[in-house]
Amino acid sequence: MHTNPSHGFGTRAIHAGQTPDPSTGAICTPIYQTSTFVQKSPGVIVEEYDYSRAANPTRTALEANIASLEGAEHGLAFSSGVAATGAVIHLLSAGDHVVLCDDVYGGTNRIFHRVFAQLGIEITLVDMTDLEATKAAFQPNTKLVWIETPTNPMLKIVDIPAVTRLAREHGAITAVDNTFCSPYLQNPLSLGADIVCHSTTKYIGGHSDAIGGVLAMNDPNLHKRLKFIQLSEGAVPGIQECFLFLRSTKTLHVRMDRHCDNAMRIAKHLEQHPKVERVIYPGLESHPQHAVARKQMRAFGGMVTIYLKGGLAESRAMLEKVKIFALAESLGGVESLIEHPAIMTHASVPADQRAKLGIADNLVRLSVGIEDCNDLIADLDQAIG
Ligand code: P1T
């Protein structure tokens, strides 16, 4: 199927990167479950295919599909979101410096501080909603700025054009972890970023049944370097996973609309709840960066973070009482999840940093699914008590 960049998101989601199988007409891209490809003569190969770590047609279709959804020239698929993150950090050399968003997924914090810091990468954590502090964090050896927005779990919104401008002025590249938005809600390359990163495990996959990651970029040199890292490190996705993600992107726009509608209703409901101290949702007027969110996001996503009145006892009681929400790490699936960041997803973040960010015992994170919203609200109400 021919698609071009001017087609709407839904058309590209369903068709980009995919042509009916030439040998059978199968409308879905086949699962090319093969590790190797027969050569016509030594070195004479069909298209680019010689070995599936280097390239595989099902993966090529996924990479082209995601690139189209991000408005990018190139896509690269990885075995997980952190594998995609690690590939970007491998662009650096010992002695290089990173300006890192202070509130990121716990595993992102961990790979920077506990894997790459040992290899000589310097890191400065900064609250990127404070542009003066962000500017002050740059050093002469700063090579990479890593943004996550909305941040996990505090849902802070980083002004992508403003921070990418600072990075360019300092000769650094910018990568944006766009997992919480999916390509449907925000396209960081169009806002000035050099690389966009997703954990496809989340909204792109959408069904809580596969782990994966992707990068998308425009610059051919960055693509060449990252493709070399993908080949050399070998953290590539399995072919079945590529098929599942391709299947899932076809409904991404429809699912995201429902995630956003449900999350907005739940955020507004909980804002009025007598046992809830504070609701953090970028779509609420009360969110400190609501204006920035309006500028760079098409809608406000499916993640809602709340502070309950009380402490660990109150949050533990709620997490044990939910019946439709499932107590589990991860996010972005069709089913609603609930979790305790301090004990679960962000346990690997040092306690002093958690305290500084506000990841407290009464903080609870919701990944609002696409069930009937009335049922979700009733479930939260009975669990909060
Ligand atoms: O789990 P993996 O596919 O490796 O993705 C890592 C990752 C990267 N970026 C963001 C913003 C993420 O939220 C994650 C994974 N997050 C969770 C598992 C979680 O519950 O927050």
Side-chain angles (χ1 to χ4, degrees):
M1 196 67 61
H2 179 71
T3 57
N4 65 48
S6 67
H7 281 130
F9 189 94
T11 308
R12 286 178 287 129
I14 292 165
H15 298 295
Q18 296 160 84
T19 42
D21 176 41
S23 60
T24 63
I27 196 157
C28 293
T29 302
I31 302 171
Y32 284 92
Q33 193 73 46
T34 186
S35 58
T36 194
F37 299 85
V38 176
Q39 308 200 2
K40 294 182 170 152
S41 166
V44 180
I45 61 176
V46 181
E47 294 182 33
E48 57 176 322
Y49 303 112
D50 58 3
Y51 188 60
S52 279
R53 171 159 42 76
N56 173 287
T58 316
R59 193 173 97 209
T60 304
L62 174 65
E63 292 176 337
N65 182 260
I66 301 282
S68 170
L69 297 185
E70 278 294 1
E73 290 292 328
H74 309 284
L76 292 170
F78 293 84
S79 55
S80 68
V82 291
T85 304
V88 174
I89 312 173
H90 265 129
L91 290 168
L92 306 179
S93 306
D96 288 347
H97 173 253
V98 180
V99 176
L100 175 61
C101 185
D102 62 352
D103 185 42
V104 288
Y105 166 56
T108 305
N109 188 301
R110 182 174 55 205
I111 193 174
F112 272 104
H113 285 98
R114 295 183 45 200
V115 178
F116 283 96
Q118 290 172 32
L119 301 178
I121 304 296
E122 274 184 66
I123 301 151
T124 301
L125 282 174
V126 67
D127 176 358
M128 289 191 178
T129 63
D130 180 341
L131 288 177
E132 282 310 307
T134 307
K135 198 170 171 180
F138 283 87
Q139 301 180 6
N141 57 341
T142 304
K143 294 283 162 54
L144 172 68
V145 176
W146 186 276
I147 299 174
E148 188 177 297
T149 182
T151 65
N152 182 0
M154 301 307 295
L155 304 179
K156 293 194 279 191
I157 304 295
V158 178
D159 185 331
I160 299 174
V163 175
T164 54
R165 205 174 306 125
L166 282 178
R168 268 195 307 281
E169 284 165 16
H170 290 84
I173 61 164
T174 310
V176 177
D177 186 332
N178 201 27
T179 298
F180 272 29
C181 282
S182 88
Y184 184 55
L185 299 185
Q186 177 171 276
N187 297 121
L189 300 181
S190 71
L191 299 167
D194 299 290
I195 301 170
V196 56
C197 171
H198 287 276
S199 165
T200 50
T201 316
K202 315 303 177 201
Y203 290 103
I204 289 176
H207 295 72
S208 307
D209 54 8
I211 300 274
V214 289
L215 299 175
M217 69 295 300
N218 283 322
D219 181 78
N221 188 40
L222 265 181
H223 174 242
K224 198 170 151 203
R225 291 172 66 201
L226 287 163
K227 194 172 165 61
F228 176 78
I229 292 168
Q230 180 198 41
L231 166 75
S232 305
E233 295 188 332
V236 292
I239 311 308
Q240 310 258 354
E241 271 71 14
C242 293
F243 175 84
L244 285 173
F245 292 128
L246 266 178
R247 182 277 320 262
S248 291
T249 53
K250 293 179 199 293
T251 55
L252 179 61
H253 49 304
V254 182
R255 287 184 282 112
M256 286 314 291
D257 280 341
R258 185 63 68 86
H259 282 294
C260 293
D261 289 352
N262 281 359
M264 180 69 100
R265 271 190 66 196
I266 286 174
K268 284 186 173 159
H269 175 80
L270 293 179
E271 218 177 19
Q272 306 302 322
H273 199 291
K275 292 194 175 167
V276 174
E277 189 179 289
R278 188 179 156 212
V279 178
I280 306 171
Y281 182 65
L284 295 176
E285 303 270 335
S286 60
H287 189 287
Q289 294 93 38
H290 178 62
V292 181
R294 286 194 88 87
K295 268 198 299 186
Q296 67 188 24
M297 297 168 69
R298 292 187 190 94
F300 304 104
M303 301 301 293
V304 180
T305 298
I306 61 172
Y307 284 104
L308 289 172
K309 286 186 180 157
L312 185 57
E314 284 71 16
S315 51
R316 198 177 278 283
M318 177 188 183
L319 293 163
E320 286 173 357
K321 277 193 213 152
V322 284
K323 292 193 172 80
I324 298 175
F325 277 82
L327 174 59
E329 300 198 7
S330 202
L331 57 114
V334 289
E335 58 285 282
S336 294
L337 303 181
I338 191 164
E339 67 112 10
H340 191 274
I343 297 176
M344 295 168 67
T345 50
H346 291 70
S348 67
V349 177
D352 60 331
Q353 197 190 328
R354 282 206 307 265
K356 219 168 127 190
L357 290 168
I359 304 176
D361 281 345
N362 59 335
L363 187 80
V364 169
R365 190 189 76 179
L366 311 177
S367 170
V368 177
I370 64 171
E371 299 95 334
D372 285 5
C373 200
N374 290 340
D375 295 331
L376 296 178
I377 288 174
D379 190 35
L380 292 171
D381 281 351
Q382 69 78 26
I384 297 172

